[in-house]
Amino acid sequence: MSRSFLLYFLITLIGIIFIGRLFQLQILRGDNQNPVQSAAVKIEYDLPERGYIYDRNGILLVANQVSYDVMVVPKEVEPLDTVEFCSLLKIDKNAFIKNFNRAHKYAPWLASPFLKQLDKNDFAYLQEKLHKFKGFFIQKRIIRNYPINSAANVVGYISEVSENIAKKSDYYQAGELLGKAGIERQYEKFLRGIKGKKHFKRNRLNKITGIYKEGKYDTLAVNGQDLTLTIDSKLQQYAELLMKGKRGGIVALEPSSGEILALVTAPSYDPNMMVGRQRSKNSVLLFNDTINKPMYDRGLEEYYSPGSPFKMINALIGLQEGVINPQTPFYCYSGYRYGSRKNEFMGCHCGIYGRPIRLKTAISKSCNSYFSNTYKKIVEKGENATSGLNNWSKHVKSFGLGNYLGYDLPAGKKGLIPDGKYYNDRLKYRWNANSNISNAIGQGEIITTPIQLANVTAAIANRGFFYTPHIVKKINSKLSIDSVYLTKKKTTINSTHFSPIIDAMHEVFKTGTGKWSQVPGIEICGKTGTVENFIRINGEKTQLEDHSILVAFAPKENPKIALAVFVENGGYGSTIGAPVTSLLIEKYLNGKISNAHKYRESNMINLSLKDIYDQQLIKPTDLEAGKK
């Protein structure tokens, strides 16, 4: 009797537990259960249209076009005529096996791309036949289209989500698209939109039997948000045209806002090369070009010594520290001697020998002796060389040098502004200002990027402050700029010290090194620069053609544009940097190039340095900053 009772009791208990579990699953948890976690639910995604990208004037830079992918769910594939199937897709049997195995390895139960980006003609024909091949279906995909062959480094490109990324992501699936560079990467969450979802019930044979819970969990796709950039597309295209046949970078900013008007790297590439069936082939060619580096944004990432434009910062620091005033004279005897040895002499080409040189003339004629003496006085003002250089470094860094600027693009480098510790760690002897006198003329250990120098120029134009450079102006037609880009950043230099510097920069284009690149009616303030350039060949330091540099802003009062122009191996700053700069300023402020300057324009457009580059065949790892 007791055994029978125990048996009945166990059967009853198990039944109660079983019924309770069913009640929990069907009633208590049924409505709240995530269908993604259920093997009895199939989810199909509706991919949204990616947001468009426009320039500051509404010119369309990035649009969308429809593409079609053949998708496969490996577990749903039934025996098929592979010969007919391969013929339809225009592939061979080996490609079929490779693509199928890849999809099976990724996830047998999930859909993944089998063949991507069919053209419209193939899609129309295949759509009629595909019902014969179970487990395969066509999915519409939105891919990018670039109406203008310009600003590839700015807009970036999109790429397919890899299997590794998909497995780690709770949003992306393998084969979907996401931004990989430029604006596409930085603003991915705004541009991509939100995927729509449809849920279907399926039985134990994995066959779809209907809509899951009457579509309760289904959602509609939400298209991505459109972006309006700060870029002026016409100025961007013009700058790219002027850099044809050259290497380097150009950055143009609006001083009053920090908006990036143009961001040029040369050479670049057609952004449409990173779209379509030829993308993989083109990608290999572009990324493997280590000589021209078209995928490398020189405007944001390339290190250059700032050269003579850096003299303006040393002048401002000298004024702030009281070691010079606009009338302080120094003498130049074709250079500056910083030691007793014969080679311890920095040459100068200012052309003023044995006569007193004051600040305005020193900037307009780019006198190395003047700024070497100024730098020496700045460093020697401290209790010792370390404290003096630390004070100098603090001032320099207040202009945004030696650190990331914080702009809204994913690429960038910090540069280097040395301080006392830098030399204490590297020099085993007691050093002084003459030990690093190259800092006086923007060479030595100082390294910067073009966007940093453009930002310095904007800070000078604003007489002591700048706004963090940024490239997105609006999101979905609404001003939605992060407050960090609206915050004024002040340098450590009093505003009163900028007037003599700006007057001297104006003199550069009146009587100095930029006088041959004047634009009547526009007061341009600038500074040319020529930076020595070396590589190591078989361990030997070898000098190459100098880099051409120019920074400028215009007009002098209420400036609208500030630029930094770097042309690798371009020689003197006055020969290439100055005319390119004046053409860009004239184009932006006047909207066209005057007939009087058409010859200048033609010269710069047709000037190619390819022969110089071909002779050098410089590897990026061989480049190093020169010292004077």
Side-chain angles (χ1 to χ4, degrees):
M1 185 72 176
S2 60
R3 289 183 178 179
S4 298
F5 176 78
L6 181 60
L7 179 61
Y8 286 127
F9 176 76
L10 289 174
I11 292 173
T12 303
L13 180 62
I14 291 171
I16 292 172
I17 292 173
F18 183 71
I19 293 170
R21 179 59 174 165
L22 286 175
F23 179 81
Q24 180 191 33
L25 291 174
Q26 297 294 327
I27 306 301
L28 298 181
R29 290 179 54 186
D31 286 341
N32 299 318
Q33 184 179 10
N34 184 354
V36 175
Q37 299 173 346
S38 173
V41 178
K42 179 181 179 179
I43 301 176
E44 289 187 2
Y45 292 97
D46 182 17
L47 301 179
E49 187 169 354
R50 203 166 173 88
Y52 283 36
I53 301 177
Y54 301 86
D55 91 327
R56 67 189 296 114
N57 298 311
I59 296 174
L60 183 62
L61 301 178
V62 185
N64 295 319
Q65 59 183 323
V66 177
S67 175
Y68 301 94
D69 293 347
V70 177
M71 307 293 289
V72 62
V73 181
K75 279 291 185 180
E76 296 181 3
V77 174
E78 298 178 357
L80 72 157
D81 184 341
T82 55
V83 173
E84 181 185 5
F85 187 75
C86 290
S87 177
L88 287 171
L89 297 183
K90 298 178 182 178
I91 60 174
D92 57 29
K93 188 173 181 180
N94 289 333
F96 174 91
I97 294 171
K98 178 183 176 181
N99 293 350
F100 185 84
N101 288 341
R102 182 184 63 233
H104 194 277
K105 182 180 179 181
Y106 166 65
W109 293 101
L110 295 178
S112 61
F114 179 83
L115 188 66
K116 303 161 190 169
Q117 299 183 20
L118 299 174
D119 64 37
K120 293 180 180 180
N121 294 330
D122 289 341
F123 161 71
Y125 182 67
L126 184 63
Q127 193 176 31
E128 298 177 359
K129 306 284 186 179
L130 203 61
H131 68 277
K132 297 164 55 177
F133 305 100
K134 303 299 182 183
F136 292 92
F137 65 95
I138 292 178
Q139 178 172 283
K140 183 176 73 173
R141 183 210 291 256
I142 302 297
I143 61 174
R144 284 311 212 186
N145 172 255
Y146 303 92
I148 302 173
N149 177 10
S150 176
N153 61 309
V154 175
V155 297
Y157 58 90
I158 57 178
S159 183
E160 291 186 0
V161 175
S162 67
E163 294 178 8
N164 287 335
I165 293 176
K167 288 177 180 178
K168 297 175 183 177
S169 172
D170 57 0
Y171 180 84
Y172 297 104
Q173 289 190 307
E176 292 180 357
L177 301 173
L178 82 162
K180 293 290 287 185
I183 292 296
E184 295 279 18
R185 175 179 173 181
Q186 189 73 17
Y187 286 87
E188 166 69 10
K189 290 185 178 179
F190 295 96
L191 289 167
R192 74 185 184 189
I194 302 173
K195 290 186 289 188
K197 295 180 182 180
K198 292 182 179 179
H199 301 78
F200 299 94
K201 294 184 294 184
R202 53 185 175 188
N203 60 22
R204 61 186 182 85
L205 298 176
N206 208 36
K207 304 291 185 181
I208 292 178
T209 59
I211 297 174
Y212 181 73
K213 289 192 175 293
E214 298 180 341
K216 177 181 178 180
Y217 295 99
D218 293 353
T219 58
L220 296 175
V222 178
N223 288 339
Q225 300 181 62
D226 296 340
L227 300 183
T228 298
L229 305 187
T230 62
I231 288 289
D232 184 306
S233 181
K234 291 182 179 179
L235 181 67
Q236 175 82 17
Q237 292 176 66
Y238 188 60
E240 291 171 346
L241 179 64
L242 293 173
M243 288 297 288
K244 186 178 66 173
K246 309 168 189 70
R247 293 180 190 158
I250 296 176
V251 181
L253 304 176
E254 184 178 67
S256 62
S257 65
E259 293 182 355
I260 300 173
L261 301 174
L263 177 59
V264 174
T265 184
S268 189
Y269 64 98
D270 183 345
N272 286 298
M273 292 179 69
M274 295 299 286
V275 178
R277 296 283 287 272
Q278 298 300 313
R279 181 192 180 282
S280 179
K281 177 182 176 181
N282 291 335
S283 179
V284 172
L285 292 174
L286 293 170
F287 279 103
N288 287 346
D289 186 353
T290 58
I291 303 300
N292 294 304
K293 301 188 290 184
M295 306 300 285
Y296 182 67
D297 195 331
R298 286 174 166 88
L300 301 179
E301 299 180 275
E302 187 65 287
Y303 277 152
Y304 300 101
S305 294
S308 291
F310 191 81
K311 293 173 181 175
M312 297 180 299
I313 295 180
N314 277 326
L316 286 165
I317 297 172
L319 292 170
Q320 180 69 27
E321 290 297 320
V323 299
I324 63 168
N325 63 54
Q327 300 306 316
T328 300
F330 292 110
Y331 291 81
C332 180
Y333 297 94
S334 299
Y336 174 83
R337 181 163 294 283
Y338 55 91
S340 58
R341 296 176 184 174
K342 184 178 180 180
N343 65 339
E344 292 180 328
F345 182 79
M346 179 193 296
C348 179
H349 305 287
C350 70
I352 305 173
Y353 187 88
R355 289 181 286 137
I357 301 174
R358 293 175 174 81
L359 179 60
K360 188 174 184 178
T361 303
I363 290 179
S364 65
K365 300 298 183 182
S366 201
C367 180
N368 288 347
S369 296
Y370 182 95
F371 291 100
S372 295
N373 281 290
T374 300
Y375 175 77
K376 187 170 183 287
K377 284 181 171 290
I378 294 169
V379 175
E380 289 180 346
K381 185 183 178 184
E383 295 180 2
N384 51 53
T386 297
S387 64
L389 196 69
N390 283 342
N391 187 47
W392 170 86
S393 181
K394 175 198 72 176
H395 285 304
V396 175
K397 290 176 179 176
S398 74
F399 284 83
L401 298 180
N403 209 337
Y404 298 106
L405 281 173
Y407 47 76
D408 54 341
L409 282 166
K413 289 184 178 177
K414 293 176 65 174
L416 174 64
I417 301 299
D419 55 13
K421 183 178 183 302
Y422 179 90
Y423 292 108
N424 289 336
D425 290 345
R426 287 162 176 79
L427 301 180
K428 304 304 179 185
Y429 54 85
R430 187 176 180 180
W431 57 271
N432 56 35
N434 282 336
S435 304
N436 43 61
I437 198 66
S438 292
N439 292 340
I441 60 171
Q443 296 203 168
E445 286 69 43
I446 299 171
I447 49 177
T448 59
T449 61
I451 194 170
Q452 289 178 327
L453 261 292
N455 187 67
V456 167
T457 309
I460 295 174
N462 290 332
R463 301 174 188 263
F465 68 89
F466 63 90
Y467 293 95
T468 300
H470 53 282
I471 206 157
V472 168
K473 191 176 182 73
K474 299 177 184 177
I475 300 176
N476 261 9
S477 301
K478 296 179 181 178
L479 290 172
S480 50
I481 303 173
D482 193 303
S483 61
V484 70
Y485 304 124
L486 302 174
T487 304
K488 185 185 294 186
K489 294 187 176 181
K490 296 183 178 180
T491 69
T492 55
I493 309 299
N494 294 339
S495 60
T496 54
H497 295 311
F498 285 86
S499 290
I501 304 300
I502 290 173
D503 288 341
M505 292 175 68
H506 186 215
E507 195 68 26
V508 168
F509 273 83
K510 287 176 65 180
T511 63
T513 51
K515 64 182 179 181
W516 303 111
S517 298
Q518 297 181 53
V519 180
I522 299 177
E523 292 186 304
I524 301 177
C525 303
K527 183 72 188 78
T528 60
T530 305
V531 178
E532 290 183 340
N533 174 39
F534 298 94
I535 62 168
R536 295 217 174 254
I537 300 177
N538 298 324
E540 294 293 324
K541 192 174 183 179
T542 305
Q543 185 168 9
L544 304 174
E545 291 285 340
D546 294 340
H547 295 323
S548 178
I549 301 174
L550 195 138
V551 299
F553 67 86
K556 183 180 178 183
E557 302 299 330
N558 191 24
K560 299 291 191 298
I561 183 172
L563 305 99
V565 175
F566 285 74
V567 180
E568 294 180 13
N569 309 118
Y572 292 112
S574 57
T575 59
I576 298 182
V580 166
T581 299
S582 68
L583 287 167
L584 288 169
I585 288 173
E586 183 178 5
K587 182 77 169 179
Y588 184 68
L589 296 182
N590 292 347
K592 62 180 181 178
I593 302 300
S594 67
N595 290 332
H597 299 146
K598 287 293 183 181
Y599 181 74
R600 179 189 299 169
E601 179 185 53
S602 178
N603 278 349
M604 290 300 103
I605 292 173
N606 295 317
L607 175 63
S608 174
L609 303 179
K610 184 178 184 300
D611 289 343
I612 294 176
Y613 300 143
D614 287 346
Q615 290 171 12
Q616 296 169 3
L617 292 178
I618 304 171
K619 294 181 180 178
T621 54
D622 289 333
L623 290 170
E624 68 172 26
K627 294 184 181 180
K628 286 186 179 176

